[in-house]
Amino acid sequence: MEVQTAARALEAGGRSVVHMEIGEPDFPTPEPVLAAAREAMAGGDIYYTSALGIPSLREAIARHYRDHFGVRVDPERVIVTAGSSAALLLTLALLVNRDDQILLADPGYPCNRHFVRTLEGETVGIPVGPESNYQLTADLIGAAWTSRTRGVLIASPSNPTGTMVAPQEMRRIATEVAARGGILIVDEIYLGLTYAGQPRTALALSDSLFVISSFSKYFNMTGWRLGWLVAPDAAVRDIEKLAQNLYISPPTLSQRAALACFMPETLSIVETRRNEFQARRDFLVPALRELGFGVPVMPSGGFFVYADCSLFGMDSERFCVEALEATGVAFTPGIDFGRHRAEDHVRLAYTIAQDKLREGIRRLAAWLPSLRRP
Ligand SMILES: Cc1ncc(COP(=O)(O)O)c(C=O)c1O
């Protein structure tokens, strides 16, 4: 966010900036979703809904799991939330008591640490790198488990690395966590945006996982603040009570709009956009490698590349500042995502059109040779 602020300040001063720091799709909300919102608004029926979300949307989400992932999910287990942020917060609020530990990958999505801390729990960041696809494994989880560990939170695909947990490893993880009496939470917010064959949801593994998702990324609806959670049966009532108290209901207009997400027209729009993200990735990763960035694992989902910039002879925070000043290309330092080798990494987002990505690479290619290499 601070890089973005600095980049916007440069722009306000007349500089041209290539934004590779932005963590949301550049595509507008699909037209059928806008049309559904306009219709709902004209009807004026914008009251609170059930804290669990409107039943037709919960059913549509359950059908989506059946049609696209081949998994049967009872709509009663689907809880619509104010973004996946609220789904994460509700799940953690239900599970985390004071001093409980939640295991996370380092690097990972930073808000999770803050959610757990707000709840007086503690996160344990487990260092991950290319050897495990920048993801947790059953062995890493087993080795980090203590008497205070309550559960594990995994994002697959991950922000910032774009890498995924292989289905067989996710199965081993679910077994390991269950054997230790813990809870597994899987954040699948980027699961719709994957580029390596048909993605698999962790819901296929067990009914006792918490699976988090969102309309923000795949459906290009970040500002509508709508996501969902699939919870074990036994947790639904408690989650409902928490949601009622914390925010009463998810946004009504957004829910009515989101009903149009599962129409064939909308799915065809977002699938075309997914292909565009893949084309951007296929350009960007080889181009970064050519410039000397380390990208040892091809990211297979989301819209991020977590690149090793240690070859350029300065820590990643300084590298971000200097790159922005020298070239007008903005990206994010690793320190936002954890501690493990954070000073060696930057996150680049391909949430801009291919011509802008090419321009960013052209500017970096002109600047990087001037840096003194150690
Ligand atoms: C891994 C991950 N989880 C959750 C979120 C929260 O997204 P939202 O609340 O818009 O669904 C983000 C946002 O960038 C994310 O990257």
Side-chain angles (χ1 to χ4, degrees), residues 271-349:
E271 276 299 295
T272 306
R273 293 172 177 181
R274 185 179 63 82
N275 290 333
E276 171 59 20
F277 276 126
Q278 178 166 0
R280 293 174 184 178
R281 178 203 68 163
D282 290 347
F283 160 72
L284 183 62
V285 172
L288 290 172
R289 286 174 174 158
E290 185 77 16
L291 290 179
F293 287 91
V295 189
V297 178
M298 184 64 157
S300 52
F303 33 64
F304 303 114
V305 184
Y306 197 61
D308 186 330
C309 60
S310 53
L311 195 66
F312 305 118
M314 62 183 97
D315 75 71
S316 59
E317 255 184 292
R318 207 176 121 213
F319 184 63
C320 285
V321 171
E322 295 212 358
L324 183 61
E325 276 167 11
T327 70
V329 180
F331 42 81
T332 314
I335 192 71
D336 273 18
F337 308 102
R339 299 224 166 97
H340 176 57
R341 296 201 57 218
E343 66 289 353
D344 290 340
H345 288 85
V346 291
R347 187 195 75 176
L348 301 106

Side-chain angles (χ1 to χ4, degrees), residues 23 83-85 88 109 155 159 187 189-190 214 216-217 222 225-226:
S84 68
S85 301
L88 285 162
Y109 179 59
N159 176 6
D187 177 349
I189 172 170
Y190 296 104
S214 181
S216 288
K217 313 288 173 155
T222 47
R225 307 309 304 127
L226 206 65

